[in-house]
Amino acid sequence: MGKGAHTREMILDEASELAAKIGLGGLTIGELAARTELSKSGLFAHFGSKESLQLQVLERNSTRIIDLVIRPALREPRGEPRLRGLVGRWLDWASRNGGCPLVAASFEFDDQPGPVRDRVVALQRDWLDTLTTVCATGVAEGHFRADVDPRRLAVDVEGVLLAFHVMHRLLSDPAAREYAQHGLDTLIAAAR
Amino acid sequence: MGKGAHTREMILDEASELAAKIGLGGLTIGELAARTELSKSGLFAHFGSKESLQLQVLERNSTRIIDLVIRPALREPRGEPRLRGLVGRWLDWASRNGGCPLVAASFEFDDQPGPVRDRVVALQRDWLDTLTTVCATGVAEGHFRADVDPRRLAVDVEGVLLAFHVMHRLLSDPAAREYAQHGLDTLIAAAR
DNA sequence: CCGTAGAACGAACGATCGTGCTATAATCAC
DNA sequence: GTGATTATAGCACGATCGTTCGTTCTACGG
């Protein structure tokens, strides 16, 4: 990896953290340049436009979710254990500094047309499809009843994750994780 | 109501709609002035600062939620019907133009200290307390099992609402309401 | 070790940000 | 209807926004 690529990675890391705190739209070249100790123009040259920066931040977080959440969970046994692993690792991921930037972006860009919104929509669809597939596997394995709709279950699980985000990040409720665990247990029990 | 107060209401309505779309932080005096066909300074004089405008937008939406969601639901029979009424009306509320500004603000300001965040936290706490109380009433009425933790149930319900917001506003899924209805049914069935 | 490609910089651009000041126009109390 | 109050407009400010340009420095292949 050349010097430029390395610097760009470092910028995207800082940008991800910042975006989680103040949103993708709130990202500012000047602020980001100050945090990375680069000049505005030097940083800007890496991306060519703010929108491109935003898109690359999304991409970076997408691959991080795959690496830190999805791929490890796929090593768990199929069905219910895999679902639990997926949720558990997502909760870890969202507990990091600033929470999950994709979640923040999902609520920030839900009414702002453009390439950024389009990408957020696609990523959120992908994530929900992943959840759905794992739930469907649970049905196939016999962990869940045959009449369980995997999509519905996936949406319910997504609700647990979003509620955790609010309880943990906004309300700083120390029981947030416990609530999420209980919520998942309830859903799984109801699907059994 | 004098002319000034009337104008201010009109500004806050437009500001609420705009805030739901681009966020409280993305609110801009200039853009808001253009939409309300006022001069920047004329509009600004009503609030004195952007932060005050943001806080008044929060306040306005708080009273609207009370008027459109909570108060009508409190006229339903205690317990489970009241919980269903509360959720149903919230879904109606969040289906309006731009979604619920409080939800957007909850994810936008979860890491930005200051009076705005403080108010968002307080409002979110109030809403969760309302949900919790209604759930507790369901236990007291015998609709839910005695060992149901009202707080936990309230958080789970909040998850259903947040998932609806994503499915409806971001993903434009026509089945969003159905998912939410099913999610609530599942939670209630599990609490019975 | 040199030549060149690429990385980073400084300065500046027009636009817009939030915010004051001052003047005028509209509203309201009496 | 007149006088006081209030609402709105106009203009300007310093700061910062995203972006461009030309230059300097640095890394790296030959």
Side-chain angles (χ1 to χ4, degrees):
Chain A
M1 185 166 59
K3 176 151 194 290
H6 178 270
T7 304
R8 228 187 46 189
E9 296 276 308
M10 181 261 286
I11 296 174
L12 287 176
D13 277 344
E14 192 69 41
S16 297
E17 192 176 329
L18 199 54
K21 290 187 182 173
I22 63 180
L24 261 189
L27 262 190
T28 269
I29 309 279
E31 171 76 6
L32 197 50
R35 295 205 178 211
T36 54
E37 293 182 315
L38 288 175
S39 66
K40 259 175 67 176
S41 53
L43 186 149
F44 185 83
H46 281 277
F47 304 98
S49 75
K50 178 175 177 177
E51 190 175 271
S52 162
L53 167 65
Q54 293 173 320
L55 289 171
Q56 294 194 42
V57 169
L58 285 178
E59 234 50 48
R60 172 144 190 90
N61 280 279
S62 165
T63 66
R64 283 180 87 98
I65 288 179
I66 292 175
D67 290 344
L68 299 176
V69 179
I70 298 179
R71 199 153 19 219
L74 288 183
R75 281 199 291 270
E76 310 262 358
R78 293 161 54 87
E80 181 186 323
R82 188 172 291 179
L83 178 59
R84 290 187 180 276
L86 200 57
V87 169
R89 287 170 203 279
W90 192 94
L91 296 180
D92 293 339
W93 155 261
S95 299
R96 303 157 321 126
N97 216 351
C100 176
L102 275 185
V103 167
S106 293
F107 288 90
E108 187 179 0
F109 283 87
D110 58 358
D111 262 305
Q112 294 182 252
V116 177
R117 188 204 128 101
D118 292 346
R119 196 73 191 102
V120 172
V121 168
L123 291 174
Q124 194 71 47
R125 273 196 222 282
D126 288 347
W127 167 248
L128 240 108
D129 286 347
T130 300
L131 273 179
T132 304
T133 301
V134 172
C135 290
T137 309
V139 174
E141 292 287 315
H143 300 155
F144 305 143
R145 285 197 322 274
D147 67 333
V148 165
D149 181 346
R151 186 74 174 176
R152 281 182 172 176
L153 181 52
V155 173
D156 287 343
V157 170
E158 175 73 10
V160 170
L161 304 184
L162 295 175
F164 169 78
H165 214 278
V166 167
M167 299 304 292
H168 179 59
R169 301 222 63 78
L170 180 71
L171 300 187
S172 306
D173 192 321
R177 181 116 194 178
E178 183 197 324
Y179 289 141
Q181 191 58 56
H182 167 266
L184 180 63
D185 288 343
T186 302
L187 292 177
I188 288 180
R192 218 170 246 144
Chain B
M1 185 165 56
K3 177 157 192 291
H6 177 271
T7 303
R8 228 187 46 188
E9 297 275 309
M10 182 261 286
I11 296 174
L12 287 176
D13 277 344
E14 192 70 41
S16 297
E17 192 176 329
L18 199 55
K21 291 187 182 174
I22 62 180
L24 261 189
L27 261 189
T28 269
I29 309 279
E31 171 76 8
L32 196 51
R35 296 206 177 209
T36 55
E37 292 182 316
L38 287 174
S39 66
K40 260 175 67 176
S41 54
L43 186 149
F44 185 82
H46 281 278
F47 305 98
S49 76
K50 179 176 177 178
E51 189 175 273
S52 162
L53 166 66
Q54 293 172 320
L55 289 171
Q56 293 194 42
V57 168
L58 285 178
E59 234 49 48
R60 173 145 189 90
N61 281 278
S62 165
T63 67
R64 283 181 87 99
I65 289 179
I66 292 174
D67 290 344
L68 299 176
V69 179
I70 298 179
R71 199 152 24 217
L74 288 183
R75 281 199 292 270
E76 310 262 359
R78 294 160 53 89
E80 181 186 323
R82 187 172 293 178
L83 179 59
R84 290 187 181 275
L86 199 57
V87 169
R89 288 169 202 279
W90 192 93
L91 295 180
D92 292 340
W93 154 260
S95 300
R96 304 155 322 125
N97 216 351
C100 177
L102 275 185
V103 167
S106 292
F107 287 90
E108 187 179 0
F109 283 86
D110 58 357
D111 262 306
Q112 294 182 254
V116 176
R117 188 203 129 103
D118 292 346
R119 195 73 191 101
V120 172
V121 169
L123 291 174
Q124 194 71 44
R125 274 196 220 281
D126 288 349
W127 167 250
L128 240 110
D129 286 347
T130 300
L131 272 178
T132 304
T133 302
V134 171
C135 290
T137 310
V139 174
E141 291 288 313
H143 299 155
F144 304 142
R145 287 196 321 275
D147 67 334
V148 165
D149 181 346
R151 185 71 175 179
R152 282 182 171 175
L153 180 52
V155 173
D156 288 342
V157 171
E158 175 72 10
V160 171
L161 304 183
L162 294 175
F164 170 78
H165 213 277
V166 167
M167 300 304 292
H168 179 58
R169 301 224 62 80
L170 180 70
L171 301 186
S172 306
D173 192 321
R177 181 118 192 176
E178 184 196 323
Y179 289 140
Q181 190 60 55
H182 167 266
L184 180 62
D185 288 344
T186 301
L187 292 177
I188 289 179
R192 219 171 245 141

